[in-house]
Amino acid sequence: MPISPWPSICTSGTNSRVAERIVVIGGGVMGSALAYWLGRLAPAAAVTVVERDPSYEFASSALSAASIRQQFSTAVNIRISQASIEFLRRAADELALGDERPDILLREHGYLYLAQPAGAAALVRAHALQKAQHADVALMDVAALARNFSWLNTADLSLGSLGLSGEGWFDGYALLSAFARKARAQGARYVKAEVTGLRVENGGVTRINLADGTQLACTHVVNAAGPWARRIAAMAGVELPVFARRRTVYVIACPVPMTPFPLVVDPSGFWIRPEGARFIAGFAPTDEPEEAPLQPDYGAFESQLWPLLAHRIPAFEAARLERAWAGYFEMNEFDQNGIIGAHSTVRNMLFMNGFSGHGMQQAPVVGRAVAELIVHGRFDTLGLSELSFARIEANRPLLEENVIG
Ligand SMILES: Cc1cc2nc3c(=O)[nH]c(=O)nc-3n(C[C@H](O)[C@H](O)[C@H](O)COP(=O)(O)OP(=O)(O)OC[C@H]3O[C@@H](n4cnc5c(N)ncnc54)[C@H](O)[C@@H]3O)c2cc1C
């Protein structure tokens, strides 16, 4: 049975009927990945992406740490990342325009999760789940950690888990740009405008109001508004548990060479990885108000992050904070997982929201999944119904324990 009861656009093998009226709200990595996949799956569809700020100054996709891992605590997230890394490895071919092949600078240097005695059982549990999904991960005892990462203070550790392949980082802005450029070349129309309202009639959105007074008719509308998705949902009377939570990324110089250096996730909650000749790091602050101004929290570096860093990696005693930036996590405070597909009361409005810090890596696969829902009325390549809105409506959380920073 189709996941969205609203008519898909290719029910009888043709996509000409209503294809001209798919409107995507938000042209970040999610909206642009979707526009790209719609162009692939339904080339005759005319897709409109409404983006209020083509400079993406505050968009999460432009402010992301853009890292990808297989080490999740839910199987569906592992499966998404496995499919995503395959796409990222092929991105230069998939998103090429003639001879121009985008370089997203994918580096597969792994994630290293560290555990103290209290956290070791959870790491072993997650490892078993990851292995069952055929993730390329290995547990390391303290001796192995010390042998492989001589720069690490292992004194208070009991276990580590290292991704051997399929994990690392890339240039998120380059991925967003490549999706958007290819989507445009395939026929998607990007409109600079702000969505201010939605008209809902007979259980579906029929009109999208823009700030300049223009109205767009639609047969399908997609909420790809990232940290601002709750406001768009509210315009259609839907309550979406997604909140904009500020995260600061610190750029740090350290004079001591340390290799190999994967993305490290410390038991205290901070993360750090190399970025060119420097490092970037962050952690999850407590009590952040919703939509705090996007000024970096410089004070927290001295008072909170630096002591933890210097404890785990003693070479960071000599480190220097060079600069910092801040962006919003689009936190799904119901269960820290993405929300994909339609809500039962507004049947032609699809959501791709709430990725809680793992949306950049999931965008290639989520974009394809939402395009499949619109074009075919079902997930074709990877079943993602666990992430549907129905779990929220039924109050059945699918908790992701491995949320970073
Ligand atoms: C500091 C930081 C680090 C991160 N690190 C990682 C990581 O390592 N790995 C990972 O996978 N993910 C990471 N993420 C998360 C990831 O970046 C996001 O999940 C992803 O970028 C979300 O993409 P999006 O397109 O949904 O949102 P966005 O990129 O925010 O795009 C939404 C767009 O919607 C537009 N919009 C909103 N409202 C309206 C409106 N009313 N009208 C018109 N346009 C509108 C906005 O202008 C914006 O451009 C990180 C995020 C941050 C902030």
Side-chain angles (χ1 to χ4, degrees), residues 26 29-30 51 60-61 64-65 67 195 227 328 330 357-361:
V29 74
M30 282 292 166
E51 170 54 59
S60 303
S61 304
S64 181
S67 307
V195 172
Y328 293 124
E330 74 286 21
H358 44 273
M360 176 58 73
Q361 66 198 279

Side-chain angles (χ1 to χ4, degrees), residues 200-214:
V200 181
E201 290 168 309
N202 302 322
V205 177
T206 54
R207 288 274 186 286
I208 291 146
N209 299 330
L210 306 183
D212 65 3
T214 311

Side-chain angles (χ1 to χ4, degrees), residues 25-31 50-53 56 58-67 111 193-195 224-228 232 235 247 249 325 327-330 352 355 357-362:
I25 304 173
V29 74
M30 282 292 166
V50 183
E51 170 54 59
R52 65 184 173 196
D53 175 18
Y56 297 110
F58 303 114
S60 303
S61 304
L63 300 165
S64 181
S67 307
Y111 270 56
E194 173 151 24
V195 172
W228 302 277
I232 301 293
M235 291 174 193
R247 292 293 185 269
V249 178
W325 76 82
Y328 293 124
F329 267 22
E330 74 286 21
M352 46 194 320
F355 296 94
H358 44 273
M360 176 58 73
Q361 66 198 279
Q362 296 196 333

Side-chain angles (χ1 to χ4, degrees), residues 43-126:
V47 176
T48 301
V49 179
V50 183
E51 170 54 59
R52 65 184 173 196
D53 175 18
S55 79
Y56 297 110
E57 184 179 358
F58 303 114
S60 303
S61 304
L63 300 165
S64 181
S67 307
I68 177 164
R69 61 193 161 111
Q70 312 295 321
Q71 297 186 63
F72 284 97
S73 73
T74 44
V76 67
N77 281 331
I78 300 169
R79 290 197 293 270
I80 292 175
S81 276
Q82 286 170 333
S84 257
I85 191 76
E86 291 302 327
F87 184 92
L88 296 179
R89 286 171 181 154
R90 295 192 314 271
D93 296 324
E94 294 267 357
L95 302 176
L97 271 187
D99 291 341
E100 273 184 57
R101 293 160 50 80
D103 185 358
I104 63 160
L105 301 172
L106 177 64
R107 302 283 178 265
E108 292 189 43
H109 296 315
Y111 270 56
L112 176 64
Y113 274 80
L114 300 173
Q116 291 170 323
L123 206 60
V124 170
R125 252 193 337 269

Side-chain angles (χ1 to χ4, degrees), residues 258-305:
M258 291 173 274
T259 50
F261 201 119
L263 189 154
V264 175
V265 184
D266 192 67
S268 64
F270 79 77
W271 60 270
I272 182 163
R273 72 161 172 84
E275 175 67 29
R278 296 179 173 68
F279 294 87
I280 58 174
F283 69 100
T286 47
D287 299 333
E288 275 289 286
E290 211 210 344
E291 240 181 283
L294 280 184
Q295 310 298 332
D297 186 353
Y298 283 103
F301 180 78
E302 280 292 311
S303 63
Q304 297 183 56
L305 181 56

